[in-house]
Amino acid sequence: MKIGILGGTSLAKALGKRFIDAGLNVVFGVRPDFDTEEAEWKIMNRLHHRICPYESAIIQADFILICSENGYLPEIWVALKNTDTEGKMIIDCTNAKFDKKLSNGNTQLIKKAAPKAHLFKAYNNLGLDYPQSDVLGVIKETYFCGDDVPEKLRVKRLIEVSGFNAVDVGKISNASLLEAFYHLRNEISWNKQEHQNYHFKLVSI
């Protein structure tokens, strides 16, 4: 099983390291102008030879995690459309720009770009700046959703392998609700005018 992580974000790097430490095969797909000379990326590429273009990562991977900034997502849509994604597992880890209608454009566009793939949403609660947003390591869970039941169990196991508790929130139509949590914590941080990050934790009573 190979994991393909699309995007050169802090989240992409952090999740990649977790999967590599767990013994999984990981490849990173990045844009053509991505700076692979940045210290941590340079070391990772030299040791593991894991950095390649988007399409190459998509072709190689069984699981595809999209961890890119929104501005580069159109390039990823094109790469998905230009490759055979039938049967592949795609996990949207992004958060669309805040929209009070909760339309969740990113997940919808992924579905259009790769209609034959199994689409899920997960890890978006971490944010693309993770782990900087959680320097104390207090986040222990991520919420995920998707429609395909057998594949959903595989996504759950993948999340657990990366060291997080996997909380199933239902069908892919609930993806916008997951994004609402992300935007709400950002609003809390902004209104408190503090240089701190806020996160939600699921409590069972």
Side-chain angles (χ1 to χ4, degrees):
M1 178 176 69
K2 179 174 282 191
I3 311 297
I5 303 180
L6 308 185
T9 60
S10 181
L11 176 63
K13 184 167 52 181
L15 291 178
K17 287 181 178 179
R18 284 173 174 258
F19 291 132
I20 291 170
D21 290 343
L24 298 181
N25 196 353
V26 179
V27 61
F28 295 93
V30 298
R31 62 187 187 274
D33 61 344
F34 180 71
D35 182 14
T36 58
E37 294 301 305
E38 188 269 328
E40 287 188 89
W41 285 106
K42 186 176 182 178
I43 293 172
M44 189 177 300
N45 195 35
R46 185 174 69 245
L47 294 178
H48 305 287
H49 305 289
R50 298 176 186 275
I51 300 179
C52 62
Y54 292 136
E55 291 189 13
S56 178
I58 294 169
I59 291 170
Q60 295 180 59
D62 304 298
F63 282 87
I64 302 165
L65 279 68
I66 300 179
C67 302
S68 172
E69 299 97 333
N70 288 336
Y72 299 112
L73 289 177
E75 297 176 35
I76 292 178
W77 309 152
V78 173
L80 288 170
K81 290 177 180 178
N82 289 342
T83 53
D84 181 10
T85 56
E86 183 172 2
K88 291 183 181 289
M89 314 276 284
I90 298 179
I91 301 176
D92 175 19
C93 308
T94 69
N95 290 289
K97 185 178 178 181
F98 180 61
D99 181 353
K100 292 183 179 180
K101 295 180 181 179
L102 299 178
S103 60
N104 194 52
N106 290 354
T107 306
Q108 294 174 354
L109 289 171
I110 293 170
K111 186 64 177 177
K112 290 180 180 179
K116 295 183 179 180
H118 304 289
L119 179 60
F120 297 88
K121 183 99 174 170
Y123 295 113
N124 74 293
N125 65 304
L126 304 179
L128 293 181
D129 57 346
Y130 180 87
Q132 284 88 344
S133 61
D134 182 31
V135 294
L136 298 179
V138 298
I139 305 176
K140 303 299 183 184
E141 59 199 15
T142 187
Y143 312 100
F144 73 107
C145 60
D147 296 336
D148 301 321
V149 176
E151 291 77 15
K152 201 172 194 180
L153 295 176
R154 296 180 63 192
V155 172
K156 181 177 185 292
R157 287 195 291 269
L158 185 70
I159 292 171
E160 292 170 344
V161 164
S162 67
F164 294 95
N165 296 324
V167 181
D168 187 344
V169 301
K171 294 185 176 296
I172 195 66
S173 57
N174 290 331
S176 58
L177 299 180
L178 298 188
E179 295 211 4
F181 273 100
Y182 171 80
H183 290 300
L184 180 57
R185 75 172 178 84
N186 285 347
E187 287 295 308
I188 293 172
S189 298
W190 186 85
N191 279 288
K192 282 186 171 292
Q193 297 182 348
E194 299 173 352
H195 297 293
Q196 297 181 8
N197 289 289
Y198 290 81
H199 298 276
F200 294 99
K201 181 173 180 58
L202 188 66
V203 177
S204 176
I205 300 177

